Amino acid sequence: MVGKYKTAEAWRNDAMQRENGVSDAESMQRRQQAEAHYKQESVNPDANILADHELFILGKMDMQEYEQYLLFKHSQNTQGDT
């Protein structure tokens, strides 16, 4: 998958066009878990992080693809920093 996209944003946008991969009930459970995590950790995620989380919450990506996406995204953010 990684080689298919030039940017993480393109990957995320493409994934968001997919059908939801989990039921509404599963999405609701995942959303509640994420919100509980934010509250427990006193985290206030920005819009970019929330958009990333939606990929998994809605089942647009399975866990393996989601992890690859995040690694790709964060590797892009560090290129040129050295």
Side-chain angles (χ1 to χ4, degrees):
M1 268 294 181
V2 175
K4 181 177 176 180
Y5 301 100
K6 291 184 179 184
T7 67
E9 183 178 13
W11 192 347
R12 181 172 65 197
N13 291 341
D14 185 57
M16 288 304 289
Q17 299 304 311
R18 301 174 190 164
E19 293 290 323
N20 289 357
V22 297
S23 68
D24 290 345
E26 177 69 17
S27 288
M28 185 183 313
Q29 182 180 8
R30 290 179 179 189
R31 189 174 313 285
Q32 289 171 343
Q33 289 172 332
E35 289 171 359
H37 172 76
Y38 304 149
K39 186 174 183 180
Q40 179 182 354
E41 300 296 323
S42 299
V43 174
N44 188 17
D46 64 23
N48 189 41
I49 291 171
L50 289 172
D52 286 347
H53 291 177
E54 284 296 299
L55 293 168
F56 182 71
I57 289 170
L58 298 174
K60 303 290 187 173
M61 293 181 175
D62 63 24
M63 184 56 79
Q64 182 180 2
E65 182 183 3
Y66 185 64
E67 289 173 347
Q68 290 173 345
Y69 161 77
L70 291 175
L71 287 170
F72 177 66
K73 178 180 179 178
H74 292 291
S75 71
Q76 284 187 314
N77 291 341
T78 60
Q79 289 179 359
D81 289 349
T82 55

